Amino acid sequence: PTGSLLYPYGPQQGDETNPKHDDGTSEAITLSVPFTFYGKTYQTAFVNNNGVISFDKPVTQYTPDPFPLVDGRAFVAPFWADVDNVLGGDIFYRQTTNQALLNDISQDITQYFPKSPFTATWALVATWDHVAYYGSTSQKGNTFQAVLTTDSTVFYIILNYRDIQWTTGAASDGDAETGLGGTPAHAGFNSGDDTNFYNIPGSQTDAIINITTTSNVRVPGRWVFQVDNFQVTGV
């Protein structure tokens, strides 16, 4: 079925919805299961409108910088760019222990990493649903999702890309009509130290619009990473 790459989301799933603010963020999310990201364990996360899930503090920056960042921020960037949900789209998130969803996540991760069978006990699902870009004069929207999940020993992040129609907001030198050009979106992970980071190929180039066709687990539009300790990830 269409869109089956994304796990279920939206208010009917019990999701919270981010406020309509340019460069806005969720409230601080107290993680019911602390999340270990590159050797550090965090109890607070933010789902930031500009395509970032950050730990401990929100991110309002709208033009992405390449990783590694010099300022020690720890975050995952499914699609770091100048989202404007005032102009269009919604940003949803929930923490969940829903067994049907956890079964699907467990099955997927075990398929990609068969040497270490995985049984998820918790997930944080964040979804950017047909979000517009800053300065847009078009109807273009991007739909993507990030899932943080764990069995309390191993920690994974799944990035799902269903529809990417723009790469750049107008304040990042993008074209208001096309949402292209300028400094395009960045996708990947910044650990907060200077050595551990991962840039998904095509980041900050025009090619990032093709992220719906790329993968490191042979599922176009899906990237999966073990993030508790730094793992070099095959492409």
Side-chain angles (χ1 to χ4, degrees):
T2 310
S4 57
L5 191 67
L6 268 63
Y7 298 107
Y9 67 91
Q12 68 282 5
Q13 301 293 331
D15 281 1
E16 305 285 335
T17 306
N18 273 16
K20 298 272 186 186
H21 288 309
D22 182 42
D23 303 328
T25 78
S26 68
E27 59 193 33
I29 303 162
T30 301
L31 302 177
S32 52
V33 175
F35 195 81
T36 302
F37 184 68
Y38 292 141
K40 281 190 187 164
T41 299
Y42 298 94
Q43 288 173 324
T44 308
F46 292 83
V47 174
N48 305 279
N49 289 6
N50 288 340
V52 171
I53 298 178
S54 56
F55 298 102
D56 285 354
K57 43 188 186 242
V59 171
T60 57
Q61 183 180 335
Y62 54 84
T63 300
D65 285 320
F67 298 158
L69 301 175
V70 294
D71 58 12
R73 284 178 291 175
F75 64 67
V76 50
F79 201 81
W80 185 13
D82 199 357
V83 169
D84 189 347
N85 64 344
V86 179
L87 290 180
D90 288 294
I91 297 143
F92 300 113
Y93 67 91
R94 73 184 179 282
Q95 296 186 73
T96 181
T97 54
N98 175 280
Q99 205 50 58
L101 176 65
L102 294 178
N103 288 347
D104 286 347
I105 291 172
S106 302
Q107 202 175 337
D108 287 343
I109 289 179
T110 298
Q111 185 188 328
Y112 309 142
F113 301 91
K115 287 182 183 146
S116 43
F118 177 77
T119 305
T121 54
W122 168 92
L124 170 68
V125 181
T127 310
W128 286 257
D129 184 41
H130 202 74
V131 290
Y133 56 93
Y134 180 81
S136 171
T137 59
S138 75
Q139 296 300 307
K140 288 185 170 186
N142 286 348
T143 301
F144 56 95
Q145 184 179 69
V147 179
L148 281 57
T149 188
T150 184
D151 59 4
S152 293
T153 308
V154 185
F155 295 78
Y156 285 98
I157 293 179
I158 303 169
L159 304 179
N160 294 320
Y161 301 92
R162 181 156 82 201
D163 190 19
I164 300 296
Q165 300 181 356
W166 61 267
T167 62
T168 320
S172 310
D173 298 325
D175 182 290
E177 208 169 305
T178 64
L180 304 174
T183 304
H186 194 94
F189 297 85
N190 195 67
S191 70
D193 63 32
D194 297 331
T195 46
N196 293 324
F197 62 93
Y198 184 77
N199 298 317
I200 288 181
S203 285
Q204 296 196 322
T205 75
D206 296 338
I208 198 67
I209 202 160
N210 300 319
I211 199 167
T212 53
T213 68
T214 63
S215 178
N216 64 338
V217 292
R218 298 190 179 142
V219 180
R222 175 172 284 173
W223 289 76
V224 185
F225 302 87
Q226 184 183 337
V227 296
D228 41 290
N229 293 304
F230 190 69
Q231 311 281 327
V232 175
T233 306
V235 175

